[in-house]
Amino acid sequence: MNGIRRYAKQFSLVMAILMAFATTFSVSAHAGMVGTGELIQQQQVNLDRQQLLDMLEQQEVKEKLTELGVSEDQVAERIQNLTPAELADFEQQLAEAPTGEGVVGIIVLFLLVFIITDMLCATNLFSFINCIR
């Protein structure tokens, strides 16, 4: 019986130390309400991003990007890295573009986004564009 008590004391000491460490280094979780507007906005951003990626699948767009020396992977990566505000501006420009411009308008918009991200030092695709910082 004494042997069990001796092990129980050692065990409880180890458990008390572990409990102290666990409570000292634990991180509190914070939960908050997610509004419907925020949820809809996030879904819209995902939808806009997917629409742009779908445009990359058009053969005319692929040919024009190849002609300009830009790979599809680079374009897709940049689309994924766009902030929601940049994506909304891009979608607005795309919606306002005349329908007759077609693929050339899309390519020009992509290039404008690339130039802006190069100027903001977010990327370095074009060597002739310097950071504004």
Side-chain angles (χ1 to χ4, degrees):
M1 189 75 167
N2 284 336
I4 294 174
R5 286 188 185 165
R6 184 171 42 115
Y7 289 122
K9 286 181 182 181
Q10 291 173 352
F11 181 73
S12 22
L13 179 64
V14 170
M15 292 305 291
I17 292 171
L18 285 175
M19 188 72 139
F21 279 127
T23 56
T24 303
F25 298 114
S26 66
V27 178
S28 300
H30 299 283
M33 295 293 290
V34 177
T36 305
E38 294 173 17
L39 192 60
I40 290 173
Q41 182 182 10
Q42 182 60 36
Q43 290 296 323
Q44 185 63 40
V45 166
N46 291 340
L47 181 63
D48 290 345
R49 193 167 276 134
Q50 187 58 44
Q51 286 174 346
L52 287 176
L53 291 172
D54 290 342
M55 283 184 199
L56 285 177
E57 297 301 319
Q58 295 176 0
Q59 188 61 34
E60 296 168 339
V61 174
K62 289 180 182 180
E63 290 171 1
K64 190 67 175 178
L65 286 173
T66 304
E67 181 182 313
L68 293 171
V70 180
S71 74
E72 283 182 59
D73 295 334
Q74 289 174 326
V75 176
E77 181 181 337
R78 286 193 180 211
I79 290 172
Q80 292 297 334
N81 292 332
L82 287 175
T83 64
E86 291 171 338
L87 194 57
D89 288 343
F90 188 73
E91 283 291 325
Q92 183 180 4
Q93 290 175 4
L94 193 59
E96 291 174 357
T99 55
E101 287 184 7
V103 174
V104 177
I106 293 170
I107 299 299
V108 169
L109 285 174
F110 275 123
L111 290 176
L112 284 174
V113 169
F114 297 154
I115 290 170
I116 290 170
T117 56
D118 275 359
M119 289 174 64
L120 296 174
C121 305
T123 58
N124 189 18
L125 182 64
F126 301 114
S127 59
F128 58 87
I129 296 175
N130 298 323
C131 276
I132 59 175
R133 290 187 199 168

